[in-house]
């Protein structure tokens, strides 16, 4: 039998609709003066672009929509942004901090 967290792990693609997993929260930490990702028994300090991506993982947008917003904002090649966004989100999904939104 597979553990519940392992069953929820997603394989990130442009069609995925990501959201933070239960227990994971993105918060601005006043004492540190920066955004942090609170996950069970850990505090992670993502960089500015990672924070921007995580803020867009609202359970409604697809990864493709997130990529398109970033392409428009940063005027960088879509292929590069897509590869970076998918890799980052996949790392979070494999750690159990990001899941597929329920449809």
């Amino acid at each position: 039998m597979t553990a519940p967290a392992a069953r929820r792990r997603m394989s990130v693609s442009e069609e995925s609709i990501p959201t933070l997993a239960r227990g994971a929260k993105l918060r601005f930490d006043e004492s540190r003066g920066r955004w942090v990702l609170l996950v069970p028994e850990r505090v992670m300090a993502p960089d500015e672009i990672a924070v921007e991506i995580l803020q867009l993982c609202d359970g409604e947008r697809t990864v493709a929509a997130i990529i398109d917003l970033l392409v428009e904002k940063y005027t960088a090649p879509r292929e590069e942004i897509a590869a970076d966004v998918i890799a980052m989100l996949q790392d979070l999904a494999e750690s159990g901090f990001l899941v597929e939104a329920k449809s």
Side-chain angles (χ1 to χ4, degrees), residues 51-66:
V51 168
E52 187 170 0
I53 294 167
L54 289 169
Q55 288 173 330
L56 294 170
C57 292
D58 58 7
E60 295 182 17
R61 289 181 180 93
T62 62
V63 172
I66 292 168

Side-chain angles (χ1 to χ4, degrees), residues 24-42:
K25 302 202 181 320
L26 183 65
R27 297 278 186 258
F28 188 78
D29 184 331
E30 294 289 338
S31 64
R32 290 183 174 108
R34 66 177 303 160
W35 285 92
V36 294
L37 180 60
L38 305 172
V39 295
E41 301 181 23
R42 285 198 226 171

Side-chain angles (χ1 to χ4, degrees), residues 4 6 11 16 18 30-31 35 38 43 49 51 67 70-72 77 82 85-86 93-94 98 101 103:
S11 177
S16 300
E30 294 289 338
S31 64
W35 285 92
L38 305 172
V43 176
I49 293 176
V51 168
I67 291 166
L70 296 171
V71 167
E72 189 175 309
V85 168
I86 289 171
E94 288 172 6
L98 194 75
S103 40

